[in-house]
Structure formats: C-alpha cells, structure tokens
Amino acid sequence: MAFELPPLPFDATALEPHMSAETFEFHHGKHHKAYVDKVNGWIDEKGLSGLSLLDVIAKAKDTGDKGLFNNSAQVWNHTFFWNCLAPAGSTRPSEKLAGLIEGFGGQEKLLKDLATEAVNHFASGWAWLVLEGDALKVTSFHDADTPVAHGVTPLFTLDVWEHAYYIDYRNARPKFAETILANVINWDFVSQNLDGQGASRADQAQ
C-alpha cells in the first residue's frame, strides 16, 4: 500500500482571513502532495513496503538517504502542521498545558518567543514548541528536519518555508507568524500531544 495525502482537518476556507483557501490549494494540494508522491515512488526501490512513516524517517536517517529523509519528514511535518491549526477561538489549552505555559512565563511570552524563532530562522524550516523533560522549549529545525528524528516530543509547529505564506503574506514572514500564532493555534491538539495522543495523526501507516 502507498502512503496517502491526508485530508485537511478543516474546510479549506475555515481559517480565513488568516490563511486562504488558495494557500491550502497550493500548500496542501501541491507541495504536501508532491512529498507524498515522491515517497510512494520509492516504496519498492528502497524497500519501504509495510513501514510506517516514522519507520521510513528513521530508516532514511540511519542510512543517510537525504532524499528519502527530506521527503518523508516533510510528509510528517506537514500533516502535523495542519493538525496544529484550527478556526480562531475554537480551542484552548488544557489545564496541564496551561500550567506548563505559566511555568514558561505565560502565553504572551510563549507566543512572542515562537514568533521570534519563526522570523529569525534563516531560510527554510520549521519553528517548534517541544517538550524537553518536563518543560516547554521553543526551537527550530532547518529544511525538512523534524523533532521525531531526534527523540524530542513535538507539541506545535509553524511552517516557515516561503510557500507557507507567500500567497497570503508575500514576503512578510513576521506578519504571517504573528497572525497565525495569535489566531489559529489548535490548543486542543497541542494539549493532546503532551500525553502522546495527538502526534500519531501524522504517522500514516501503510
């Protein structure tokens, strides 16, 4: 069986005006799909049949297969990213997550740090909120790299590849980061990831 492009977890118009249906048409329907198609084209050649997406990422990392790693990690990262988003005001942090955010310095500081990480990340990549030990940490990974390849627990991500924001925000990455972080975080999903119940949505089994 081949990997499949997962449907968006919301209608393509659900995040307007913050993210447009046109953005999802290209970002999900073309960019994300291209990564899925590329991995599927290697299933027989690279012996991927029966492996989960996380297994494929691990195999690519272990064997130094950069092409396979980049494409499979991008499939996972994008699927995770879509689940990190939800219509404005529809979700809120769980009590457990709220406590960790308070320990971080509060929600305002958390969002400011995430925005700073996203804006200052040079070139393509992903800004991440992860769980390190018992505390929240804001970090970023370059290009297609992903926390699941490094034993880190991902909670939330913001895609800062140019194709994530150019249609709606042109070259204004700061405006994109500020808008998305202020309006469409899926706090329910972030909360679920604390208990390992959310990130599995991004691991597409064959």
Side-chain angles (χ1 to χ4, degrees):
M1 290 180 63
F3 291 102
E4 296 182 357
L5 177 69
L8 292 170
F10 41 73
D11 185 85
T13 62
L15 305 189
E16 292 180 344
H18 313 299
M19 293 180 75
S20 68
E22 185 181 8
T23 282
F24 289 115
E25 177 187 352
F26 282 86
H27 195 174
H28 174 261
K30 297 185 184 299
H31 289 282
H32 192 177
K33 183 178 184 298
Y35 298 127
V36 174
D37 291 345
K38 193 73 172 179
V39 174
N40 283 336
W42 284 324
I43 286 177
D44 292 332
E45 176 188 341
K46 297 181 183 290
L48 309 180
S49 181
L51 298 181
S52 72
L53 188 57
L54 288 179
D55 289 338
V56 172
I57 293 170
K59 176 177 181 176
K61 181 184 178 186
D62 290 344
T63 59
D65 189 332
K66 291 183 178 179
L68 179 60
F69 181 84
N70 287 338
N71 283 275
S72 58
Q74 283 291 76
V75 174
W76 196 95
N77 285 347
H78 279 87
T79 304
F80 187 86
F81 178 47
W82 308 137
N83 282 282
C84 285
L85 307 176
S90 63
T91 68
R92 62 182 182 181
S94 66
E95 183 177 345
K96 180 178 179 180
L97 178 59
L100 289 174
I101 292 174
E102 186 64 28
F104 187 87
Q107 186 167 312
E108 182 178 352
K109 181 182 186 304
L110 177 67
L111 297 182
K112 181 179 179 180
D113 286 5
L114 273 167
T116 298
E117 190 75 29
V119 171
N120 291 341
H121 181 88
F122 184 75
S124 298
W126 301 80
W128 290 90
L129 175 67
V130 301
L131 186 67
E132 190 171 86
D134 296 323
L136 302 181
K137 179 182 178 181
V138 171
T139 188
S140 59
F141 287 86
H142 282 285
D143 301 322
D145 205 1
T146 176
V148 297
H150 301 282
V152 179
T153 302
L155 302 181
F156 171 85
T157 194
L158 182 64
D159 188 345
V160 294
W161 284 64
E162 194 172 68
H163 64 236
Y165 56 86
Y166 197 81
I167 290 174
D168 294 331
Y169 297 89
R170 294 299 184 256
N171 64 330
R173 186 194 287 187
K175 182 63 175 176
F176 165 72
E178 174 188 339
T179 301
I180 300 309
L181 294 172
N183 293 284
V184 294
I185 292 179
N186 184 348
W187 290 111
D188 287 347
F189 181 67
V190 181
S191 299
Q192 291 166 10
N193 289 328
L194 285 175
D195 301 314
Q197 298 175 359
S200 60
R201 301 181 201 176
D203 184 20
Q204 303 162 309
Q206 289 183 298

